[in-house]
Amino acid sequence: MRFTLVTTNKSKIEEFIDIFKQYNLKYRIELLKTKEIQSTDLKEIAKESVIYAYNILREPVMVEDAGLFIRSLKGFPGPYSSYVYSTVGVIGILRLMSDVTDRSAVFQSVIAFYSPYTGIKLFSGEVNGIISYEPKGLGGFGFDPIFIPEEGDGRTFAEMEIHEKNKISHRGRAAMKFIEWVTSLKSPLPYVSME
Ligand code: IMP
């Protein structure tokens, strides 16, 4: 079963490598920036992105789109997480929430896979947690230093090892659904290369 994981995010790559290594999956990684449409729906963004990647690479492709949805901010930054992270960052989010007592939030992930043989397949995962009052930890990426998962022991994602984060994270959960599906496919997915 061969496919190509398409992303430019090095931290996501490390997380996927850690998850995939236990399942003997045949894949390669392509550092390609896909086009992300403006939408409030992660699924729509992931779908457009996987088709964009397929049209360039012409082989079975997989992309992932994720976002942090904070309840007291009515789901912000959600699908705008990347832009918000690169502009105001974690400190900006903490400032926005300085007087907020409801710190609940959810990370969501959508994996989109496309091959002409399967069509588009979507796999989602999420993890509930709270936004901390200050950043903690040096690991991970993005909003990891301020996200404390509900199922953890009070540490932020940035204070965890990759495999610990993967066990409970939005991405880890979406990836497990994807793995279950891709390893159950009967016939191998041939690469369709552009001559
Ligand atoms: P992307 O559009 O899927 O690349 O993700 C949007 C943004 O959400 C990223 O730039 C990060 O700031 C944030 N994000 C997504 N997943 C995670 C995660 O697992 N930890 C921390 N931040 C994340």
Side-chain angles (χ1 to χ4, degrees), residues 7 9 12 15 33 36 42 45 64-68 77-86 107-110 140-145 147 157 165 169-171:
T7 181
N9 183 323
K12 283 190 184 183
E15 291 182 14
K33 177 129 190 67
E36 289 201 0
L42 289 185
I45 299 171
E64 191 251 9
D65 201 67
L68 175 65
Y80 312 109
S81 295
S82 178
Y83 180 69
V84 171
Y85 179 75
S86 62
F107 257 127
Q108 292 183 353
S109 160
V110 176
F141 71 104
F143 297 106
D144 278 346
F147 187 83
F157 268 159
K165 177 183 172 188
S169 80
H170 50 314
R171 185 165 303 105

Side-chain angles (χ1 to χ4, degrees), residues 11-165:
S11 301
K12 283 190 184 183
I13 291 173
E14 282 176 28
E15 291 182 14
F16 277 117
I17 288 175
D18 178 72
I19 300 167
F20 288 164
K21 73 180 178 204
Q22 303 154 55
Y23 297 92
N24 197 28
L25 300 179
K26 294 186 179 62
Y27 68 100
R28 69 176 192 91
I29 296 163
E30 177 76 35
L31 295 168
L32 169 72
K33 177 129 190 67
T34 59
K35 194 168 149 196
E36 289 201 0
I37 57 157
Q38 287 266 317
S39 168
T40 52
D41 185 350
L42 289 185
K43 290 194 170 91
E44 290 307 315
I45 299 171
K47 270 200 239 173
E48 290 291 328
S49 170
V50 82
I51 293 301
Y52 180 90
Y54 178 79
N55 283 335
I56 291 173
L57 300 171
R58 298 277 160 185
E59 59 199 15
V61 278
M62 175 207 144
V63 302
E64 191 251 9
D65 201 67
L68 175 65
F69 298 75
I70 301 174
R71 192 194 292 173
S72 60
L73 304 181
K74 298 188 167 39
F76 185 81
Y80 312 109
S81 295
S82 178
Y83 180 69
V84 171
Y85 179 75
S86 62
T87 51
V88 298
V90 295
I91 298 301
I93 291 292
L94 290 182
R95 285 209 183 117
L96 266 180
M97 294 182 71
S98 57
D99 294 331
V100 174
T101 48
D102 175 6
R103 319 270 317 169
S104 57
V106 56
F107 257 127
Q108 292 183 353
S109 160
V110 176
I111 288 174
F113 178 92
Y114 179 81
S115 78
Y117 316 96
T118 59
I120 297 179
K121 290 278 170 188
L122 299 176
F123 307 88
S124 60
E126 60 177 45
V127 55
N128 292 308
I130 57 168
I131 301 300
S132 62
Y133 286 92
E134 55 182 5
K136 273 195 185 151
L138 299 172
F141 71 104
F143 297 106
D144 278 346
I146 56 167
F147 187 83
I148 302 174
E150 210 169 57
E151 288 139 277
D153 54 7
R155 283 176 299 157
T156 66
F157 268 159
E159 294 178 287
M160 296 182 181
E161 299 292 334
I162 284 188
H163 69 273
E164 283 183 281
K165 177 183 172 188

